[in-house]
Amino acid sequence: MNASELLANSLSADAAIRQDATAKLESAARENYPGYVLHLSAELVNEQSPSHVRTAAGVALKNALTARDYTRLSEYAQRWLALSPDVKSKIKQDNLNNLNSPAIKIAVNSGQVIASIAAIELPEAQWPELIPTMLASVSQVGNVNLRIATLQTIGFICEQVKPEILAAQSNDILTAVVQGARQDEPNKDVTLAAMHALYNSLEFVRENFEREGERNYLMQVVCEATQHSSTDVQVAAFECLVRIMGLYYDKMGFYMERALFGLTVIGMKNPNDAVALQAIEFWSTVCEEEIELAIEAVEAAETYGEPPERESKFFAKTALPEILPVILDLLLRQEEDADEDEWNISMAAGTCLSLLSRAVQDVIVQPVIPFIENNIKGADWHQREAAVMAFGSILDGPDPSALAPLVDQALPILIDMMQDPHIAVKDTTAWTLGCICELMSSQLNNEVHLRPLIQALVAGVEDTPRISANCSWSLMNLVDQMHGFLDDEPAKPTGPLSPYYEPIVATLLRATEKPTNEANYRTAAYEALASYVTHAPADCIKAVETIILTILARQEHLLSMQNELLGADDRSNWNELQTNFCSIIISVIRKLGGDIKPLTERIMTDALNLIRAAGKHSTTLEDAILLVGTMASGVSHPLFLVDPAPNSTFSLVTAIEQDIHPYVNAFLPFLVTGLQSHEETQLCTVSIGVIGDICRALGEGSLTYTEGLMNALYQSLQSPAINRTVKISVLSCFGDIAIATGGGFEPYVESTMGVLKQAGDVIPDPNDYDMLDYVQSLREGIIEAYVGIVTALRTSGKGVLLLPYIGSILELIHRTLIDEEKPEHVVKLAIGLIGDLGDTFKNGEIRDYLLADWIINALKARHKGYSTDTKRTIKWAKEVGTSFLMEPELVLTYCYADGQTSNFGAFINLLVHSFHLYLGSLSPIFYHEVPHPSFLPVSPFFSVLFSHHRNDYLCIAEL
């Protein structure tokens, strides 16, 4: 098979042919990367090759340069940078020349390749001539195809390269882009390409937006483009306005008043749906910004008693009289046979109305009521559906007590509308009832409303799939809200829904028996069942027992059908059902606690059979492993002295404790396989979490398996294929294993501490925001590991093993605490670790470390706005972590003779002040005079003799 045929096959509709061709191309890339990329580039720019082969070459070349996975992306970048300058130069120049291809789609393929190379080279300060070359090409007015391809390439570059890399060239890029977007540009395709490039460049032109003159010009160009004769350009212009509002809300006051109010209202009325959708999206973005600003204002007032850094301009509230009637009218533009997955005008209007309700709150209610009253009993189904949609959309935002009379009046009508002859009306009514159950349950009159509401929803569960899904969701909301308060009171005997529990559960179980999952109705029923398990009061436990027995029987039946699955659809349905079964079983385990013990053998046997049947890469394998982890989880284990790890699967040591032992040998090979599936991020993460669960359940009994598990974890850290976020889970897991094994962790201390130090030494690029977030999470994972190891060695009396690593531990804590963006829970964790170290070395072995100014300052800081729990941890660390410095009071005793104390008093005051500084004001200091010389112990670590004899002063300090 020649190269052209192989490239063509890589785009085949036949999956087998496509996968075979792709595998052979990847093999060629591994064997001879320089020759591979040169050949692909030559094929892409060859005007004599068929277009589909050239397209395939462009796709393959781009895929050899970029990847979604961060690790692979980094690997590809290094592979490209390692090429000889001649090879790189040849490929870059050929593709720059190919932007002039008469086949515009092929030119765009080269543009994508150029952008992928730019994303690698520009951050390395390479290819400085790229942007000037692009700008020169845009200026060639007579070459329309070249201008279009170049503008699209600029857009691709702006999309892929981080804004700070391009910021220095923002003026030149913006000039070229705006030149093509101006009103006097004769070619609409050039204008469209320019608008798309402008959209992608908006994030890095922040400095230009700060300058009023440039901002005015940009806004003028975009606003004029919304009135362009081409609807495609209009859509692109409104897309730019949406993004501008999201990025530069604070600068929009002048433009809202002068232009944007009117332009967007006209845009929403545009008969072209694509234009109208973007104009609606503009107001949705305004509302999202103002909702977020309202949240920030509340947090600033409650936490700091100060105004927020950014304040709302209340655009939505100001524009409400103009935009609300338009949005309500758009609710009437439903499509008869609309696909629920297809975004349309009425859906967009409903979403915008919901956001508007949250943004303006109570003031939206009265203007919407007439629309509801005028349409809810209309002869046309469009009217009825729009009225119900409007009602449901304003339930979130206004004060529930203000809506209560309206809900009380509307609920009987809505319940009756569950019998409406049109399915869209019934569907929206079921959704609205779900909103009422979620947001207004506290306002319901249970004596009047509850029975007819439940009857309507139970009947709806057995209706068409769309209605069934919404009714199941409504029932789930009802129990979440009405019984959610019972979660912290396990002994609560009953709840408002107790009389209806069994019929609701029976209906949901019937719905889950159906063979298909259209509109996700079966999944919705399983999710509702899980909530009814979670929130069941004591008088409904029988219903929970019915659920678990039914689900186990279904799981066992499905396992027996494993060999009868015929195709991909059968396998997909099998996997989806098994996922639902696992979710219900996990919920029941957590609910029943120790009462699940009689079913332990059955559950564990089924879980292991499921793991064997699931297949290596199936998500079902993740669910099965998670189920076993839930059975093994050690939250109540006596050795579990710290908070559960983030990946821990909370539940059940009180139920089975050491009963997990018989299953460990059978389960561990699958767990290790999951751990070694480095390219399966979720499976690998779940496997790591379950390792911690099992170790905590077994306690010191896990020592039998520790060596193998630790080796597998070390190998995972060394794998280039593993996602970097998984490595954080691995580091946290070291702490879990240490907690479980106690002193038995000693053989792994040196290697583990080395790994943790190496990870803690990572310093992020301050301009790389993704890396900053990653390093923050990485440090959190390392500190969690340190907490586990310190706790394990302290409780086993082997704390001395930590002494060589105190410096690196505290260095990481210091880096963490000086990060201005550190979250509160990380502060709590870091300062708690300081306390753990002080508690481990109570005799002052690490006193010099703990006397560092940054530690004293961290413990003294007010930590304004932190939760009571965090402040309690800080106080504990202050008391325990520096106990050798912190006597209840420090008494300085001095003597005087012949009544002469004035000079001596001055001396003492100076000395006392010195001690006060030395102690960092951690202890109160009191003065005590005695009429004769004395030698008194002052604290466990020093004593002071002050004497006065013939006006000579003597101070002896023993530290």
Side-chain angles (χ1 to χ4, degrees):
M1 184 183 295
N2 61 40
S4 297
E5 186 178 354
L6 195 62
L7 286 168
N9 286 347
S10 69
L11 299 179
S12 171
D14 187 309
I17 294 174
R18 185 174 66 251
Q19 290 169 4
D20 178 68
T22 301
K24 289 177 178 176
L25 288 171
E26 290 175 350
S27 175
R30 288 191 297 271
E31 292 171 5
N32 182 10
Y33 180 68
Y36 175 72
V37 290
L38 278 170
H39 180 80
L40 292 177
S41 180
E43 197 70 54
L44 172 59
V45 304
N46 184 2
E47 296 289 351
Q48 308 306 314
S49 290
S51 61
H52 69 283
V53 173
R54 298 177 73 186
T55 298
V59 170
L61 182 53
K62 179 177 73 70
N63 289 342
L65 295 165
T66 188
R68 293 181 180 179
D69 178 74
Y70 177 85
T71 303
R72 187 169 294 179
L73 177 64
S74 178
E75 176 189 329
Y76 286 4
Q78 294 305 313
R79 185 172 65 175
W80 169 264
L81 292 171
L83 288 173
S84 70
D86 290 344
V87 171
K88 291 188 288 186
S89 178
K90 171 68 172 170
I91 293 172
K92 291 188 289 188
Q93 192 58 52
D94 283 352
N95 280 275
L96 284 171
N97 294 338
N98 201 45
L99 293 178
N100 200 24
S101 173
I104 190 65
K105 291 184 178 179
I106 300 300
V108 170
N109 287 139
S110 279
Q112 292 173 329
V113 170
I114 291 167
S116 298
I117 296 172
I120 296 171
E121 293 201 355
L122 292 183
E124 302 294 327
Q126 298 183 20
W127 209 2
E129 69 275 15
L130 172 62
I131 299 300
T133 302
M134 295 279 99
L135 302 182
S137 297
V138 171
S139 301
Q140 296 187 27
V141 179
N143 194 333
V144 172
N145 276 9
L146 177 61
R147 293 181 69 203
I148 292 171
T150 303
L151 284 166
Q152 289 184 321
T153 302
I154 290 174
F156 297 147
I157 292 171
C158 293
E159 186 177 16
Q160 293 191 40
V161 179
K162 292 183 181 298
E164 58 272 13
I165 302 298
L166 295 173
Q169 297 168 301
S170 62
N171 286 334
D172 293 335
I173 293 174
L174 202 54
T175 299
V177 169
V178 171
Q179 180 181 346
R182 290 185 309 185
Q183 193 175 26
D184 57 1
E185 169 58 50
N187 189 289
K188 69 179 181 62
D189 292 327
V190 171
T191 304
L192 181 61
M195 293 306 299
H196 287 155
L198 178 60
Y199 178 90
N200 286 323
S201 67
L202 284 170
E203 192 168 349
F204 71 81
V205 297
R206 193 169 295 276
E207 288 188 11
N208 303 87
F209 256 84
E210 290 294 328
R211 294 189 281 270
E212 184 179 0
E214 295 181 36
R215 184 171 70 245
N216 289 342
Y217 184 62
L218 279 170
M219 292 301 297
Q220 178 185 339
V221 169
V222 176
C223 289
E224 287 173 349
T226 65
Q227 307 304 303
H228 198 279
S229 58
S230 167
T231 54
D232 289 339
V233 173
Q234 291 178 36
V235 171
F238 275 113
E239 287 175 342
C240 284
L241 286 179
V242 170
R243 192 161 198 210
I244 287 170
M245 179 55 71
L247 292 170
Y248 305 109
Y249 172 91
D250 297 333
K251 304 291 185 185
M252 289 296 105
F254 174 81
Y255 310 104
M256 290 293 280
E257 182 180 344
R258 296 293 195 281
L260 299 182
F261 279 128
L263 287 176
T264 52
V265 168
I266 293 171
M268 288 192 290
K269 295 178 179 178
N270 194 302
N272 184 289
D273 283 2
V275 176
L277 283 170
Q278 288 304 316
I280 296 168
E281 183 66 19
F282 175 86
W283 281 105
S284 293
T285 302
V286 170
C287 293
E288 287 171 341
E289 286 293 318
E290 296 187 346
I291 290 166
E292 182 63 28
L293 289 171
I295 293 171
E296 290 176 8
V298 171
E299 289 177 350
E302 291 181 350
T303 304
Y304 303 108
E306 301 171 354
E309 292 183 6
R310 299 172 60 226
E311 294 185 343
S312 176
K313 298 184 182 297
F314 301 105
F315 294 142
K317 189 173 290 187
T318 302
L320 190 65
E322 285 75 32
I323 64 174
L324 182 58
V326 179
I327 292 170
L328 291 173
D329 285 342
L330 293 176
L331 291 176
L332 293 162
R333 282 176 57 177
Q334 310 97 320
E335 299 173 13
E336 180 73 39
D337 300 315
D339 186 340
E340 66 174 324
D341 295 327
E342 182 180 345
W343 192 242
N344 58 40
I345 293 294
S346 62
M347 289 180 179
T351 299
C352 187
L353 182 59
S354 296
L355 291 168
L356 197 56
S357 177
R358 292 175 59 196
V360 305
Q361 300 184 337
D362 291 356
V363 298
I364 202 170
V365 177
Q366 291 307 316
V368 173
I369 289 176
F371 178 84
I372 297 172
E373 292 176 340
N374 293 337
N375 290 282
I376 199 163
K377 294 187 177 179
D380 187 341
W381 73 267
H382 293 84
Q383 294 176 282
R384 301 193 301 276
E385 196 274 341
V388 176
M389 174 62 75
F391 183 77
S393 297
I394 65 169
L395 291 174
D396 190 7
D399 190 323
S401 61
L403 289 169
L406 186 60
V407 171
D408 189 67
Q409 179 184 353
L411 196 54
I413 299 172
L414 292 171
I415 290 172
D416 288 343
M417 291 181 76
M418 285 297 292
Q419 305 300 319
D420 194 279
H422 199 283
I423 187 171
V425 178
K426 292 170 67 176
D427 185 30
T428 303
T429 301
W431 170 78
T432 299
L433 290 174
C435 293
I436 292 172
C437 293
E438 180 181 23
L439 302 167
M440 298 293 297
S441 61
S442 62
Q443 304 297 320
L444 296 180
N445 184 332
N446 291 349
E447 297 295 328
V448 176
H449 296 140
L450 204 52
R451 180 175 292 277
L453 174 60
I454 290 174
Q455 288 174 340
L457 294 175
V458 165
V461 169
E462 302 190 277
D463 207 314
T464 61
R466 281 174 56 182
I467 295 168
S468 177
N470 273 323
C471 288
S472 293
W473 174 67
S474 301
L475 288 168
M476 181 179 71
N477 289 339
L478 197 62
V479 74
D480 285 346
Q481 299 303 315
M482 289 193 163
H483 283 202
F485 68 92
L486 300 176
D487 292 351
D488 297 328
E489 304 177 55
K492 197 77 173 180
T494 189
L497 296 180
S498 290
Y500 313 103
Y501 235 78
E502 290 195 14
I504 290 173
V505 166
T507 300
L508 292 171
L509 284 172
R510 283 196 301 273
T512 56
E513 281 184 312
K514 296 180 181 179
T516 64
N517 192 29
E518 183 183 348
N520 286 322
Y521 78 95
R522 188 173 63 191
T523 298
Y526 272 115
E527 289 173 350
L529 273 175
S531 281
Y532 277 84
V533 168
T534 299
H535 302 306
D539 61 350
C540 297
I541 291 299
K542 185 177 179 182
V544 175
E545 294 170 352
T546 299
I547 291 171
I548 184 61
L549 293 174
T550 302
I551 296 303
L552 286 174
R554 290 182 186 178
Q555 185 175 61
E556 289 158 1
H557 174 70
L558 207 61
L559 285 168
S560 70
M561 297 174 60
Q562 164 71 9
N563 295 326
E564 300 175 21
L565 303 178
L566 298 178
D569 289 343
D570 279 358
R571 169 60 66 177
S572 176
N573 189 53
W574 189 90
N575 286 335
E576 183 257 322
L577 283 170
Q578 292 289 8
T579 292
N580 289 327
F581 296 158
C582 289
S583 175
I584 297 294
I585 295 168
I586 288 171
S587 296
V588 173
I589 293 169
R590 292 171 174 170
K591 185 66 184 180
L592 295 184
D595 291 337
I596 198 69
K597 200 164 186 176
L599 292 173
T600 296
E601 183 176 355
R602 186 176 177 184
I603 291 173
M604 292 298 293
T605 300
D606 289 350
L608 288 169
N609 287 335
L610 177 57
I611 290 170
R612 294 187 182 103
K616 180 179 178 181
H617 300 299
S618 170
T619 55
T620 308
L621 180 58
E622 299 168 18
D623 298 316
I625 290 175
L626 196 62
L627 171 57
V628 174
T630 305
M631 292 293 288
S633 181
V635 173
S636 300
H637 198 279
L639 283 177
F640 192 57
L641 302 178
V642 295
D643 292 338
N647 298 315
S648 174
T649 50
F650 172 87
S651 187
L652 190 67
V653 74
T654 52
I656 64 170
E657 290 185 342
Q658 299 297 317
D659 291 357
I660 193 71
H661 260 302
Y663 307 97
V664 172
N665 286 327
F667 175 65
L668 273 181
F670 298 103
L671 181 61
V672 172
T673 299
L675 177 61
Q676 293 172 341
S677 302
H678 297 154
E679 295 188 359
E680 300 289 328
T681 298
Q682 187 60 31
L683 175 60
C684 200
T685 302
V686 168
S687 299
I688 292 166
V690 173
I691 287 175
D693 294 333
I694 288 179
C695 288
R696 287 193 301 270
L698 296 177
E700 293 186 356
S702 63
L703 281 169
T704 306
Y705 315 103
T706 300
E707 183 176 357
L709 293 174
M710 289 294 293
N711 287 335
L713 291 169
Y714 290 145
Q715 290 170 11
S716 294
L717 289 175
Q718 296 167 359
S719 169
I722 199 168
N723 187 290
R724 61 182 183 176
T725 60
V726 178
K727 295 183 179 183
I728 299 174
S729 300
V730 172
L731 299 179
S732 297
C733 191
F734 289 147
D736 294 336
I737 294 175
I739 287 284
T741 56
F745 192 74
E746 181 177 351
Y748 312 101
V749 170
E750 183 177 355
S751 53
T752 302
M753 287 302 203
V755 168
L756 295 177
K757 183 184 185 307
Q758 183 180 5
D761 287 342
V762 173
I763 304 296
D765 179 350
N767 295 318
D768 188 337
Y769 298 116
D770 290 340
M771 191 63 177
L772 285 170
D773 290 341
Y774 167 70
V775 170
Q776 188 178 86
S777 299
L778 176 66
R779 289 172 179 170
E780 180 181 353
I782 297 168
I783 292 173
E784 287 171 348
Y786 280 143
V787 168
I789 294 168
V790 170
T791 303
L793 297 180
R794 183 184 71 243
T795 56
S796 61
K798 296 184 177 181
V800 67
L801 296 174
L802 294 168
L803 284 173
Y805 313 106
I806 297 299
S808 57
I809 294 174
L810 291 175
E811 183 180 355
L812 176 70
I813 296 174
H814 188 203
R815 285 179 185 161
T816 302
L817 292 179
I818 62 175
D819 179 1
E820 293 182 358
E821 302 298 325
K822 60 188 177 295
E824 178 184 335
H825 71 277
V826 174
V827 174
K828 175 186 175 185
L829 196 64
I831 293 184
L833 179 54
I834 293 174
D836 289 336
L837 291 173
D839 199 25
T840 303
F841 299 102
K842 295 180 180 180
N843 296 322
E845 296 94 330
I846 60 171
R847 177 189 59 201
D848 291 344
Y849 286 107
L850 296 182
L851 283 174
D853 289 343
W854 68 267
I855 293 182
I856 300 300
N857 292 334
L859 296 176
K860 286 168 58 180
R862 294 179 61 192
H863 299 289
K864 188 176 181 181
Y866 284 179
S867 67
T868 302
D869 192 38
T870 299
K871 290 179 178 178
R872 188 181 300 117
T873 297
I874 295 170
K875 182 181 179 182
W876 169 83
K878 189 174 178 181
E879 294 173 350
V880 177
T882 55
S883 59
F884 64 91
L885 291 175
M886 298 184 63
E887 292 299 303
E889 61 180 39
L890 174 62
V891 181
L892 294 182
T893 304
Y894 63 90
C895 68
Y896 60 90
D898 302 325
Q900 298 176 3
T901 60
S902 58
N903 291 337
F904 188 78
F907 172 78
I908 288 298
N909 284 336
L910 177 62
L911 194 60
V912 166
H913 179 65
S914 298
F915 272 113
H916 212 166
L917 291 176
Y918 177 69
L919 295 175
S921 300
L922 290 175
S923 298
I925 298 180
F926 295 85
Y927 309 94
H928 178 55
E929 290 185 351
V930 293
H932 53 81
S934 61
F935 184 90
L936 298 174
V938 180
S939 89
F941 288 94
F942 62 88
S943 55
V944 182
L945 169 65
F946 300 115
S947 65
H948 176 236
H949 179 64
R950 295 182 181 177
N951 294 324
D952 292 326
Y953 308 120
L954 175 67
C955 172
I956 299 176
E958 179 182 331
L959 297 179

